[in-house]
Amino acid sequence: MNLKIYLIIIIFFLISFIPFNSNYLIAQQEGGKYTIVIHGGAGYFSKDTPEEIKQQYINSLTEALNIGKNILSGGGTSLDAVEKVINYLEDNILFNAGRGAVFTSEGKHELDASIMQGKDLTSGAVAGVTIIKNPISLARLVMEKTEHVLFAGRGADELGIQFGVDIVPNSYFHDSTNYHKWLRSNLPKQQGETVGCVALDNYSNITAGTSTGGRQNKMPGRVGDSPLINAGTYANNKTCGVSATGIGELFIKNTAAFIISALMEYKGYTLKQACDELIFNRLPENSGGIIAVDKEGNFEMPFNTYSMMRAAANNKGVFKVEIWK
Ligand code: ASP
């Protein structure tokens, strides 16, 4: 008798547990659908760079990729993934964004950033900010909390103070190694190590973001493509999301980020065909590169410079970090 009751309890327990368990498995599989790509700038990162420095870049890109991957695989949004990945790269001295922003011709720092969501084409951007620790977070606040898209200069800095984001003195961006490189540099207006991230989440929303200190030795007040929606950043859930890096003036001239989406939407190009058309046919050689993800989760990372720091991961097991072709 006792044994019978005992068996009934066990059977009852197992039956009630099975549906819960299989639901949980389905939820896990669904929660896992994502693609994320990151760039750390297109340029001329020499293969002869000391191994230890190469490793620092690879480790940083790996860490950035893990931050985004963990958010997305845990069911988080592409908006959070893009912001947090870029925050990490902005706080990392190795990259030309946030902390490691390059010097203007006056030896100061002016930072640009933008972010866009594919689900409703909303976007936010800041240009020429001088005291904002994480420009991409202020760009997100512009998108979410104002009726505007782009704030520049003093007004953008003041908006950051009003919103209570982290404020730093301009000297926070001054790094003595970078400063000595800048003093020695006789190659004006170089590009490189700008950061960007594009992600597709489990809710089929694509977010793209870009953050930069601009081009080394840029004239004070110069604004590049990175804070310009359609040039440096674009996202549309009907097609794809894009973040660009390179000589901003050429990316502005070619409406670079938007043209990829437009080629897909209006001419039926695949993501690869559209990216290749921009990078290898429309932009001149040595002008830069892009990272892009389409609505199916395919990704592309073409560039026409010597190097482009980049990383990609998805729920199908891709996890890679690359610098050269
Ligand atoms: N596109 C950025 C600019 O022109 C620079 C870069 O990507 O390295 O400001």
Side-chain angles (χ1 to χ4, degrees), residues 15-37:
I15 288 171
S16 64
F17 189 72
I18 286 166
F20 165 74
N21 210 13
S22 55
N23 277 343
Y24 175 70
L25 279 176
I26 290 164
Q28 258 207 338
Q29 274 168 12
E30 284 176 352
K33 194 193 107 195
Y34 66 88
T35 300
I36 179 164
V37 286

Side-chain angles (χ1 to χ4, degrees), residues 189-211:
K189 304 191 186 75
Q190 277 187 302
Q191 79 270 18
E193 280 109 40
T194 286
V195 307
C197 180
V198 183
L200 168 74
D201 61 29
N202 187 48
Y203 319 103
S204 302
N205 188 34
I206 302 174
T207 302
T210 312
S211 184

Side-chain angles (χ1 to χ4, degrees), residues 57-275:
Y57 278 98
I58 290 167
N59 291 348
S60 298
L61 289 165
T62 307
E63 178 61 26
L65 195 57
N66 271 320
I67 290 170
K69 177 187 147 94
N70 290 341
I71 291 173
L72 294 164
S73 63
T77 64
S78 56
L79 181 60
D80 284 342
V82 167
E83 183 190 11
K84 298 299 170 222
V85 163
I86 294 184
N87 283 162
Y88 169 79
L89 295 167
E90 286 175 334
D91 292 342
N92 187 321
I93 190 76
L94 296 176
F95 296 93
N96 171 21
R99 176 82 180 85
V102 293
F103 290 84
T104 65
S105 59
E106 284 183 335
K108 298 223 168 70
H109 309 273
E110 297 176 3
L111 288 66
D112 303 332
S114 64
I115 196 161
M116 180 166 186
Q117 290 202 93
K119 66 177 174 192
D120 52 9
L121 308 185
T122 50
S123 61
V126 291
V129 292
T130 59
I131 55 169
I132 306 298
K133 180 169 174 273
N134 294 107
I136 197 72
S137 296
L138 184 55
R140 177 174 176 172
L141 288 169
V142 168
M143 174 175 78
E144 290 179 332
K145 300 223 183 304
T146 79
E147 54 175 306
H148 307 297
V149 170
L150 171 63
F151 281 76
R154 195 169 53 88
D157 280 338
E158 276 166 11
L159 190 73
I161 297 172
Q162 254 179 53
F163 279 142
V165 301
D166 289 340
I167 300 296
V168 290
N170 196 251
S171 58
Y172 163 82
F173 306 108
H174 181 111
D175 170 70
S176 64
T177 316
N178 284 349
Y179 185 64
H180 286 103
K181 256 198 234 163
W182 172 71
L183 284 180
R184 281 197 308 271
S185 157
N186 50 11
L187 290 169
K189 304 191 186 75
Q190 277 187 302
Q191 79 270 18
E193 280 109 40
T194 286
V195 307
C197 180
V198 183
L200 168 74
D201 61 29
N202 187 48
Y203 319 103
S204 302
N205 188 34
I206 302 174
T207 302
T210 312
S211 184
T212 188
R215 291 171 69 189
Q216 178 90 296
N217 270 335
K218 66 185 181 181
M219 289 169 72
R222 177 266 186 190
V223 173
D225 60 320
S226 308
L228 300 185
I229 297 303
N230 298 322
T233 303
Y234 189 75
N236 185 338
N237 284 359
K238 281 205 252 172
T239 52
C240 64
V242 181
S243 168
T245 168
I247 301 171
E249 287 69 12
L250 296 172
F251 282 75
I252 295 170
K253 190 174 169 186
N254 285 278
T255 334
F258 172 71
I259 209 86
I260 294 175
S261 170
L263 287 171
M264 293 175 73
E265 186 172 358
Y266 305 122
K267 284 204 146 185
Y269 281 38
T270 63
L271 183 71
K272 180 168 170 36
Q273 286 169 336
C275 290

